[in-house]
Amino acid sequence: MRLVSAVLGFVLRKTGTLLAVVLSLFLGFLLVQAAVPAVKEAVTDRERLQQVAAEREALEGDLERLTDELAEAQREEVASLEGTVAAQIDELGDQVSGQRSEVEASLEERDECSRLRELVEDLPLVPNTCDLKERAAETAQEALDTLESSLARAESRAALLRDPSLTPQEKLDRLGEGGGQSVTEREIAITESQVDQKQAEERSLEQAQGSGVGWVVDQWARSWRWLAALALLVLVMPPTIKTLGYFLLMPVVHRAHRPIHLASGSDTPAGGLRTSRAERTLTVDLGPGEVLSARSEHVRPVQGRIRSHLLYDWSSPFISYAAGLFGLSRVTGDERVTAATLSTPDDPDSYLMRIDFSDHPGLVMRPRHVVGVIGTPELETRWRWGIQSFATWQVRYILFSGTGSLIVQGSGDVVATSPQGGTTRMEQHLVMGFDSRLVVGVNRTEVFWPYLWGRTPLVDDEFTGSHPLFWQKASAGGPSNPVARVFDAFFSAFGKVLGF
């Protein structure tokens, strides 16, 4: 039941986060529109531009449809006229042929009238048939001319209608059939006028959208969908990657990696090591000839001689500088009482512990936890490569070996724990250092839900053996500034790779 509640709570939190982000963006956009009238006007112009563009496209579609209808009607009319003119040509051709026959007959009858017959017919009471025949021949000729003229016009119209270089509209205009506008043509004229009006308004709105505010609104309208998808991806990807890393990646890493044993092959495997109790303020008593090199800001009252020292180890200047062991205060013991009190100047939750070792093969300690060094233990590095380095993001280990003492600092508390021949697992960010005689590996954290919620890391260090490891109770808090946190995370990760 608790598992179901945890899963349900996780899903509800993620859903609530997504809704909160979307609602915040929406409210912010509304506030911008209310606060900046130009933005609101630009939004209105954009909406009007979209509406005008849609209206223009609809009018252009109507115009195209009307134009097609008119062209089809004109083609049908031209085809009808072609049939009519062809019928007229056939009819007129027959009429011309018949009329020519009549004209020829009339001319033959007229030619039959001689001069004598004309004289006889000029006499009174004698009908003049020759004049009648003459007029009949003239009338027949005039009718033939009229028919031939009509036939010529019909043939000319037929040739015009068959001309492929002319459009139906041009054929009708030349024939005089398109003198008056049809209903479709009037609709086309009105639609073209409306299209021109919408185009002019659209150009005006596009110019308004070209302003700075209009550009911002246009960019928002273009990008909000993929921005929302990206925000959703950002919310979903971290738990997805964490789940894959927990159930797929880390089991493979745990089976494939080879634990490291830094003290393997050492000449002094039985070195001694002793620790003190962790305290907020630590007093170090020095015998004659003993030397304490400590960070100057940690050194409080001093009994004895003290002087400055630039670097802890000149043979390892970069390690000394990166570890903060520079600008040191060096206290040297003599026959009189010599003591130095150490405390953390800027962290009231910090604890100090003294670690004494002799003939030791190497104590691995992150230099940032080292406050002071007593004696002159050797400072050396060991490099390790492999899948474990990939899992822990650490390829170099810094060791203090030989004989001497370390004053180390941790947050909340400093604890020395021994696996006592078994295995102990510890979160990486809490580990300050360990005895190099321990066998160190990696394993997956045993708690999935705290890891998914970001409370615990994925990888735990796994120590096996009978020697101590050193850990702090809590990680030191980083800077509160977001930019500073980014840089701090980057340089901390880089330092972790190099063993700092």
Side-chain angles (χ1 to χ4, degrees), residues 380-400:
E380 57 180 305
T381 60
R382 305 271 176 87
W383 294 81
R384 291 295 183 270
W385 303 90
I387 193 169
Q388 178 171 342
S389 301
F390 167 76
T392 60
W393 286 96
Q394 183 173 355
V395 298
R396 188 176 71 162
Y397 296 85
I398 299 175
L399 290 79
F400 293 85

Side-chain angles (χ1 to χ4, degrees), residues 92-412:
L92 288 173
D94 295 339
Q95 292 178 0
V96 168
S97 298
Q99 188 65 31
R100 283 176 180 170
S101 299
E102 291 182 9
V103 170
E104 290 176 357
S106 298
L107 291 175
E108 289 178 357
E109 290 179 0
R110 186 191 63 182
D111 293 339
E112 290 177 356
C113 292
S114 61
R115 182 64 180 166
L116 180 58
R117 190 173 180 180
E118 291 177 357
L119 293 175
V120 173
E121 290 181 352
D122 286 337
L123 295 176
L125 303 176
V126 178
N128 190 355
T129 58
C130 288
D131 290 338
L132 294 175
K133 292 179 179 179
E134 182 71 26
R135 285 196 294 272
E138 292 176 355
T139 302
Q141 184 64 43
E142 291 176 357
L144 177 60
D145 294 339
T146 300
L147 289 174
E148 288 178 343
S149 176
S150 299
L151 178 60
R153 286 197 301 273
E155 290 176 345
S156 176
R157 295 178 69 188
L160 180 63
L161 291 171
R162 290 192 299 268
D163 189 352
S165 63
L166 299 177
T167 64
Q169 180 66 43
E170 292 173 341
K171 292 177 182 180
L172 293 175
D173 290 341
R174 293 192 182 186
L175 291 175
E177 300 292 338
Q181 281 189 330
S182 64
V183 176
T184 303
E185 289 176 320
R186 287 194 294 273
E187 290 181 359
I188 288 176
I190 294 172
T191 305
E192 287 179 343
S193 175
Q194 292 175 342
V195 169
D196 292 339
Q197 179 182 356
K198 295 299 180 183
Q199 288 177 343
E201 185 177 0
E202 189 175 2
R203 285 192 295 269
S204 176
L205 291 172
E206 286 177 348
Q207 291 178 355
Q209 286 293 303
S211 64
V213 177
W215 180 84
V216 172
V217 173
D218 183 67
Q219 292 301 312
W220 167 255
R222 291 173 182 268
S223 60
W224 73 267
R225 291 180 179 83
W226 67 264
L227 286 175
L230 184 60
L232 181 63
L233 184 64
V234 168
L235 291 177
V236 172
M237 282 299 291
T240 302
I241 293 175
K242 283 188 173 184
T243 302
L244 292 175
Y246 187 87
F247 290 104
L248 296 180
L249 179 62
M250 277 310 298
V252 175
V253 171
H254 179 66
R255 288 193 299 267
H257 89 287
R258 297 177 59 184
I260 62 173
H261 188 197
L262 296 176
S264 177
S266 174
D267 296 333
T268 57
L273 188 145
R274 185 178 68 255
T275 63
S276 69
R277 188 165 57 104
E279 299 177 358
R280 293 181 182 271
T281 301
L282 182 65
T283 301
V284 179
D285 295 320
L286 299 175
E290 283 189 316
V291 177
L292 167 66
S293 300
R295 298 183 185 182
S296 297
E297 65 272 16
H298 285 70
V299 179
R300 292 297 180 259
V302 176
Q303 291 177 297
R305 187 180 59 181
I306 183 172
R307 58 189 178 87
S308 63
H309 191 65
L310 184 59
L311 287 175
Y312 167 71
D313 187 354
W314 285 98
S315 63
S316 303
F318 296 107
I319 298 177
S320 299
Y321 181 83
L325 297 177
F326 64 94
L328 304 176
S329 294
R330 173 167 285 189
V331 182
T332 305
D334 53 20
E335 290 77 10
R336 296 174 299 174
V337 176
T338 305
T341 303
L342 304 179
S343 63
T344 305
D346 52 3
D347 186 3
D349 294 328
S350 179
Y351 282 76
L352 300 175
M353 173 185 280
R354 176 171 175 170
I355 305 173
D356 300 315
F357 51 92
S358 60
D359 296 326
H360 200 280
L363 180 65
V364 179
M365 186 63 63
R366 294 190 182 277
R368 65 173 177 266
H369 294 291
V370 178
V371 171
V373 181
I374 300 175
T376 57
E378 296 180 4
L379 190 61
E380 57 180 305
T381 60
R382 305 271 176 87
W383 294 81
R384 291 295 183 270
W385 303 90
I387 193 169
Q388 178 171 342
S389 301
F390 167 76
T392 60
W393 286 96
Q394 183 173 355
V395 298
R396 188 176 71 162
Y397 296 85
I398 299 175
L399 290 79
F400 293 85
S401 60
T403 300
S405 302
L406 295 181
I407 311 297
V408 296
Q409 167 187 286
S411 180

